[in-house]
Amino acid sequence: MALDEQLVCPHCASTIAFNASRDWITNPRITRWADHKRLMRVGAFAVYYRDSTVAQMVHRLKYNGQYDLGQWMGRLAATELGESGLFDDVDLLLPIPLSRSRRWKRGYNQAALIARGISELTGIPVRTDILCRQVDNVSQTRVEFWQRYVNARNIFAWHRRANKEELRGKHVMLVDDVMTTGTTMLSAMQVLEEVPELRLSVFVWSWTHVNPNRMLGSVLQSVAASVDTQEDEQQQSEAPE
C-alpha cells in the first residue's frame, strides 16, 4: 500500500475494509443492472461501514476540505487494482458531477479528485465536460432508498460542451466516492446510454452492502407511488371547479 504522503496513518490504513472480490462482471451490483446491456464492469476498492476508517476518509474528503486526500485515494485504488483488469481498455474517466452551487460551496468535486488519482497511474484521461448536474438534490446520507430513487431521477444532463459523436464506440468509466443504492450512478448511466455503441463501466472508491431483493421491491414501490401521485394530480387538474 502506497503511504508516501502519510495522509492516512499506517494503523488506520491497516484497518481499511478492502473489497476482497475481484469479480467485476458477475457481482451482485452489476447483476442487478442486467438490463443495461452495455455495462461492462462494476467495481469498488473498499467496503463502507458506518464509523469505519473508510467512512472517516470519505467524510474528511467531502466535508473537511481535505482535497489532497482524494487524489491519494485514487492512486491507492489504481495501485491495488491495477492488475485486476478493472481499468483495462477504459478510454475515459467521468467523475459524477456536483451541482454548480455544491461545487462552489465545497471548492472541489471529490469524485474528480479520485478520478485524477487513478489517471496519474493508469494514464486514462479524466473528462469533466461530458455530464452536468442540473438538479441540486438534497443530501442522500439519511434518505430511504425509495426516496433516493425519486430524488435521483433526471438529475443529470449533457454538458453544453459535450460532443456525443466523440463518445461513439468509447469505453467510459463513471467514478464516484461512495455508492449505497446506486440510484445516482444509474441516473448518469441513463444519459450516457443515448450514445450509440458506447460501453460503460462503474468504479466507486467504496460501496455499502445492500440487499438486492429489498432494493428491487423499493424501486417498484417508488415507481408505483410516483405514478399514483401523477394520476391524482392530473385528476385534480381536470376536476370541475
Side-chain angles (χ1 to χ4, degrees), residues 27 71 78:
N27 64 66
Q71 287 187 234

Side-chain angles (χ1 to χ4, degrees), residues 111-234:
L113 295 176
I114 293 172
R116 287 176 190 140
I118 296 171
S119 178
E120 286 182 25
L121 296 188
T122 63
I124 304 171
V126 178
R127 295 289 296 274
T128 58
D129 59 349
I130 303 296
L131 293 179
C132 67
R133 197 178 194 117
Q134 59 183 355
V135 176
D136 188 9
N137 60 322
V138 298
S139 173
Q140 303 278 63
T141 304
R142 299 184 182 277
V143 178
E144 292 293 334
F145 173 74
W146 69 268
Q147 189 61 53
R148 287 174 184 250
Y149 177 81
V150 173
N151 290 348
R153 288 181 301 171
N154 305 316
I155 63 174
F156 297 108
W158 292 103
H159 193 282
R160 58 186 174 81
R161 293 197 298 269
N163 180 355
K164 295 183 186 180
E165 190 59 32
E166 173 193 10
L167 299 176
R168 181 187 289 264
K170 298 288 188 183
H171 185 180
V172 171
M173 175 173 278
L174 289 163
V175 178
D176 209 356
D177 58 329
V178 61
M179 180 163 68
T180 51
T181 61
T183 52
T184 299
M185 195 67 73
L186 185 60
S187 183
M189 287 167 50
Q190 289 171 337
V191 176
L192 293 170
E193 285 172 337
E194 296 175 10
V195 178
E197 303 172 26
L198 178 74
R199 292 169 294 150
L200 285 166
S201 286
V202 168
F203 171 76
V204 289
W205 199 82
S206 61
W207 61 23
T208 60
H209 286 295
V210 177
N211 184 331
N213 294 325
R214 178 178 177 275
M215 288 183 61
L216 178 59
S218 297
V219 171
L220 294 176
Q221 290 171 11
S222 65
V223 171
S226 176
V227 171
D228 289 344
T229 300
Q230 292 175 1
E231 290 178 348
D232 290 343
E233 292 175 348
Q234 183 176 0

Side-chain angles (χ1 to χ4, degrees), residues 16 32 56 59 77-78 80 82 95 137 161 168 170 184 241:
I16 292 175
R32 191 172 64 247
Q56 293 170 9
H59 189 275
E80 297 294 321
N137 60 322
R161 293 197 298 269
R168 181 187 289 264
K170 298 288 188 183
T184 299
E241 296 182 357

